[in-house]
Amino acid sequence: MAYKTVVEDDIDILVCGAGLGGTGAAWEARYWGQDKKIVIAEKANIDRSGAVAQGLYAINCYMGTRFGENNPEDHVRYARIDLMGMVREDLLFDMARHVDSAVHQFEEWGLPLMRNPKTGAYQREGRWQIMIHGESYKPIVAEAAKKSADKVFNRVCVTHLLMDEAKPNRVAGAVGFNVRTGDYHVFKSKSVVVAAGGASNIYKPRSVGEGAGRVWYAPWSSGSAYGLLIGAGAKMTQMENRIVLARFKDGYGPVGAYFLHLKTYTQNCLGEEYESKWWPGLQEIVGKEYLDPEVSHATHRPIPTCLRNHALMSEVNAGRGPIHMVTMEAFQDPHLEEIGWHNFLGMTVGQAVLWAATDVDPKNENPELTTSEPYVMGSHATGCGAWCSGPEDISPPEYFWGYNRMTTVEGLFGAGDAVGGTPHAFSSGSFTEGRLAAKAACQYIDDGKAEGIRVSQQQLDDRKKEIYKPLDHYKVYRNEITAGSVNPNYINPRQGLDRLQKLMDEYAGGAGVSYMTNDKLLHIGLKKLKLLEEDLEKLGAEDIHELMRAWELKHRHLTSEAVVQHTLFRKETRWPGYYYRGDALKLDDENWHVLTVSRRDPKTGEYTMEKAPCYHIVEENEQAEAAEA
Amino acid sequence: MPTFVYMTRCDGCGHCVDICPSDIMHIDKVTRRAYNIEPNMCWECYSCVKACPHQAIDVRGYADFAPLGHSVRVRRDEEKGVIAWRIKFRNGKTDMDLLAPITTKPWGKHIPQLKDVSGPTQEMRDSQLLFNEPKYIRLDDGGIHTLESNGLKMKEGVYY
């Protein structure tokens, strides 16, 4: 294949992926590096890319210290209990202390934040969420990023990071291809901020026809955050911590505003409250420290999301499904009814379409809820991602190696889905992490850490050959058959994706097996992933668009392998309701109150797993916290 | 409800091709008009629907679970800073109009160029502050939160 090579050299900060994390990074980088060359590489169009492409109806991470609402440590405690203790509290505290400055900035940029007419404060949906008219959230932050960057490359799918050949374990830029022209793009950069997406479509979705596109997380979030980082040999953490969402059935419509603002609630098919009956049994699995309904009731400590999932699943499996969201009461109020619809139109239009198509008027009937297939990501209520350094003034030695949000690869930073152990970042937190990473990247360059980077032509040529291989492979074998998609020498990306989803569903605890797995199943899963990896070398891509799908699949595959390795390593059931280890059905704090850290050797593909300490923020007066808990 | 394009309205301008986050709106080589090449990778995010200058793009609910005969249409007006939705149910009885603001500022003019603001001092570089901080954190004179200022410390182990 003869495609042009386009080289962008002398970049200081390369931002891969311009969702909320990437736009935050690009915008902030200009302040700390006014003389620096900042370049964005984005797979789609920055104006509508990433998870916020269609908009958002709430900013889910806002402290409100300005209004005397919360302090950073309150948010840390909330995320900690929601994730059953497994978070990077240094990174969380850091994000929480900065996030409000981003939100106030958004309001200044024109993002319509709703105000509470009585108090003048932002309209709260819940303790951490504020309500916005966010249809144009993404175009607004994109404008900020575009004003800061020297160049924005839209429609460039980044496939690999470049590695420095002068100093081991140091990043040197990235390569990819343009999904319109097919050109080979080379970015030579002193530092890279990976702000690409987490992964949808790793597990078989609930709908497998046309409806496979109606996933909870964007279908274009292809795990590139992990594919790029794992491929570069960065250490990853908490990759077993996939998330399952309880959402409106089939449309995946959000429930946050319904629960919190509209005060809707769930019941089983008999119209009964069902959650509380599952708590005693669940308490035996996870222990009283993590589930104590009386304490939760008295102190408003939330019951972890995964445990509420567990109750929902258990009730359905007991034959009392479907679970309904009781909307008929709230929707009698015209104002709340309007909010209920706007909530979907602002971020999940598909749910509104589904209700229109099925004549579901929440005023007159209570819609169904169900649990989704699992997703692998690190910015919503879960914390998959890279093992990153924290800030100097907070992090203990095991969590700190010089630069905030830097991975274990020098000069390689993360933001949003790419950073592990920082759940509950959402849009504003991801943007904030991008800002933090950008400041640290500038510091890294100013400290002279990026001097003397060398990338050989050989590395560029090898990557080029690798990138276009699916196109070449297709060309060679296409005419061996008459027509159609069945070929003994290649599979197309869709066929490969179907295979990945089937094996992850069956062996790694997908919805099809009620999220259950065990040691034996995971080992079979790993074996099948290895076979798939061999077949990924024989992917056939008919055109450039399919080449993009091929690389998305390869990133999803790398992500999946990390998920299985981590799930195998953590021999306990830490998050019942997200997944279960049938051979270790209890939470085991004695052995597993730790963070899991992995590294895949880029040369051999071998995994090494280790445990890392899980530090907590404790008040000086420990009794005060004990009383609060 | 993947997107589809009405033959008589589309003139092949390519706005939808330009904006689609999933890269699935393409121009058909024969008709020279846009179409959705991969409905099962469509998130129905409506980016193309909003971008189409001719209202040529619409959405039909996913065949897996959505019966025919519904409609959710949208007009996004950047000048006025509003978005207008119309939802028609399958039963023909429910027909809703909803309007929401999308921005409070004119596009393209309001966000500052950070290359023009005065750069950070060394003191700021050495601190934990980001641009516009600490002022923008609380919009008062308070400083940045630290473990020390909040009376906290890190401690290893199981503790709640």
Side-chain angles (χ1 to χ4, degrees), chain A residues 11 82 132 141 144 153 172 179 190 207 217 242 277 282 309 353 361 375 425 442 492 509 549 602 605:
Chain A
I11 304 169
D82 194 51
I132 64 172
V141 295
F153 287 86
V179 305
K190 289 182 175 170
S207 304
Y217 205 44
R242 79 293 303 266
K277 77 172 85 151
L282 194 50
N309 278 357
V353 172
D361 188 336
Y375 292 81
C442 288
N492 67 36
R549 294 284 182 246

Side-chain angles (χ1 to χ4, degrees), chain A residues 85 101 104 108 180 210 214, chain B residues 17 23 44 60 136 160:
Chain A
S101 74
H104 300 148
E108 204 169 84
R180 292 279 184 265
E210 224 177 52
R214 179 86 295 273
Chain B
V17 180
D23 189 39
E44 74 240 7
R60 186 269 286 140
Y136 267 65
Y160 285 103

